[in-house]
Amino acid sequence: MRQAALRLCTLSKGLLTPGRGLTQGSQNSEKQRVFHIREACSPIHVNHGVCVRDKLREIVGVSTDWRDHVKAMEERKLLHSFLAKSQKGLPPRRMKDSYIEVLLPLGSQPELREKYLTVQNTIRFGRILEDLDSLGVLICYMHTKIHSAKMSPLSIVTAQVDKIDLCKTSLGPEHDIKFSGHVSWVGKTSMEVKMKMCQLHGDEFCPVLDATFVMVARDSENKGPAFVNPLIPESPEEEELFRQGELNKGRRVAFTSTSLLKMAPSAEERTTIHEMFLNTLDPKTISFRSRVLPPKAMWMENSKLKSLEVCHPQERNIFNRIFGGFLMRKAYELGWATACNFGGSRPFVIAVDDIMFQKPVEVGSLLFLSSQVCFTQDNYMQVRVHSEVASLQNREHTTTNVFHFTFMSEKEVPLVFPRTYGESMLYLDGQRHFNSMSVPVNLRKDYLVEP
């Protein structure tokens, strides 16, 4: 591997670098955490060919054979004795203890490209979401590692994708990609993970995206919460990262408490909806029921697309539920198709935020995905994807996830108008997510990241 492949790009939003103190003093152990990604062991690889998914199976102690999953889960019950009774009984960890680098050698190993390739010769962003999800889990297992136990007694799962912001104008398949990340904040049973993705250009890795995931620890049977090691910041920069994690937690709580499912819209939002309603009244009649679209506009209900997935064992995670990265990829690809169909041109993703994993998806479930454009501005579209499952034993549908994606089109897109009160709430929710983007919209002009 070229020397440049071992360098870490300058990180713009909080991820610490080896040169800035994160991995100083432990170079030998850190060299062992340069991972690889290869198609044969989707999605990520560790230690020059060791698959991340295989590494996770080793940590948890599960089999690659679906027929053995019941036996493996029974064996995990014996790990309960390794669970801490309180957080005080666990040794504190540093940010560098969980730091990991992962290499996706698309440039140096061309045979890997097809899995990540779009028809426009760009990178499939849905595959990147899968890789980020697996990496986030492995990072947390590095933070909570118990040296006296061969297998981890914890079941670590993704609770939320807090934010993914893209900062790269081009993402081609001919150059190596590097992921890196570490735990940046810890609660009693939850962890915030900061991750960075860079792509090799010339002799250095340049930033592509920043991601913040929230992971939770559960007991060995994945039935209840479990304590995780406390995190000790070692420098002013790490203290700032930890403080930001506290602020992020407060922001998530505040956002949830002001949800339109709980509270009425603000006065300004109510005015917005009323003005939109007045703009759709037919001037030829004096009636609230006669509605017409303004020029260059579309009813929200006409922006919908739907899909159905049968959840096979192939897509299971290490705990024999459906892999969260697979759910994100399927939701993203449907959202991209919705944006493409609505805008009439190729869309590019610029932000992902507030993906809540409300309920696990069991193997064998029917996964229903419904996507629609809920807010537009100039050439930007906010797309909401709702996922729900139904078991084969009954027809009851249960919501599992809600996904929020911000896309940019090559040209100005139609305005989207709600017809019902429920659609009006979707419009306002989409507007809130759109306005929460970390990077100003006018800086985002020519993205090339596709499904």
Side-chain angles (χ1 to χ4, degrees), residues 16 27 35 71 143 258 273 322 328 330 347 403 417 422 435:
L16 297 180
Q27 293 184 6
F35 301 174
K71 177 182 177 182
H143 176 82
T258 58
I273 293 302
I322 295 301
M328 285 193 285
K330 288 298 181 180
F403 305 84
F417 275 81
N435 292 335

Side-chain angles (χ1 to χ4, degrees), residues 56-57 59-80 141 151-157 219-223 316-321 362:
L56 288 172
R57 291 188 184 100
I59 292 172
V60 177
V62 296
S63 171
T64 58
D65 193 333
W66 165 249
R67 294 170 296 181
D68 296 335
H69 74 281
V70 174
K71 177 182 177 182
M73 289 297 104
E74 286 294 321
E75 292 176 349
R76 283 190 57 77
K77 291 181 180 180
L78 304 175
L79 299 174
H80 268 280
Y141 274 119
M151 297 183 297
S152 174
L154 299 178
S155 302
I156 296 175
V157 296
D219 62 28
S220 55
E221 297 180 78
N222 198 12
K223 292 183 177 180
R316 72 190 187 279
N317 62 17
I318 53 178
F319 304 113
N320 294 298
R321 266 62 179 272
E362 302 291 342

Side-chain angles (χ1 to χ4, degrees), residues 206-444:
C206 301
V208 172
L209 64 78
D210 296 281
T212 303
F213 281 44
V214 179
M215 323 298 286
V216 294
R218 299 177 64 79
D219 62 28
S220 55
E221 297 180 78
N222 198 12
K223 292 183 177 180
F227 294 105
V228 299
N229 302 69
L231 182 64
I232 305 297
E234 292 188 304
S235 68
E237 191 171 11
E238 291 187 9
E239 290 175 357
E240 175 59 25
L241 273 181
F242 194 90
R243 187 187 72 84
Q244 186 59 51
E246 290 282 0
L247 293 176
N248 290 340
K249 177 185 176 182
R251 173 180 52 78
R252 289 190 291 268
V253 171
F255 196 86
T256 301
S257 64
T258 58
S259 166
L260 292 167
L261 293 172
K262 297 180 179 180
M263 295 185 62
S266 66
E268 181 180 358
E269 289 174 331
R270 292 195 296 270
T271 299
T272 296
I273 293 302
H274 189 66
E275 289 178 349
M276 295 183 74
F277 173 75
L278 294 178
N279 287 336
T280 62
L281 292 181
D282 190 346
K284 298 178 182 179
T285 64
I286 306 176
S287 172
F288 289 125
R289 294 184 177 181
S290 182
R291 308 281 297 277
V292 293
L293 276 172
K296 299 181 179 180
M298 182 183 294
W299 293 120
M300 185 183 294
E301 63 185 9
N302 294 331
S303 71
K304 287 184 179 180
L305 288 180
K306 296 183 178 182
S307 69
L308 168 66
E309 297 289 338
V310 181
C311 298
H312 296 290
Q314 180 185 5
E315 308 301 341
R316 72 190 187 279
N317 62 17
I318 53 178
F319 304 113
N320 294 298
R321 266 62 179 272
I322 295 301
F323 174 43
F326 170 79
L327 300 176
M328 285 193 285
R329 175 167 65 86
K330 288 298 181 180
Y332 169 77
E333 290 174 352
L334 180 63
W336 183 91
T338 302
C340 182
N341 187 59
F342 181 88
S345 65
R346 187 174 46 167
F348 308 108
V349 64
I350 60 174
V352 181
D353 76 318
D354 195 31
I355 297 177
M356 293 289 295
F357 289 82
Q358 301 176 18
K359 181 180 174 60
V361 178
E362 302 291 342
V363 173
S365 300
L366 299 178
L367 177 68
F368 296 85
L369 296 172
S370 177
S371 175
Q372 66 186 123
V373 177
C374 54
F375 176 81
T376 61
Q377 179 177 302
D378 300 326
N379 58 333
Y380 297 91
M381 294 165 283
Q382 190 68 35
V383 177
R384 181 182 188 269
V385 182
H386 178 267
S387 84
E388 57 186 23
V389 296
S391 69
L392 298 179
Q393 287 72 37
N394 61 68
R395 297 183 179 180
E396 181 180 350
H397 287 220
T398 305
T399 297
T400 60
N401 305 82
V402 178
F403 305 84
H404 301 276
F405 303 104
T406 306
F407 292 96
M408 184 185 71
S409 179
E410 294 176 315
K411 60 183 181 181
E412 188 170 339
V413 301
L415 295 173
V416 64
F417 275 81
R419 294 188 84 158
T420 66
Y421 186 79
E423 288 182 349
S424 297
M425 296 304 99
L426 288 177
Y427 181 91
L428 294 178
D429 187 60
Q431 185 182 54
R432 289 181 179 184
H433 281 94
F434 181 78
N435 292 335
S436 72
M437 282 195 301
S438 299
V439 180
V441 174
N442 59 9
L443 294 181
R444 304 175 176 274

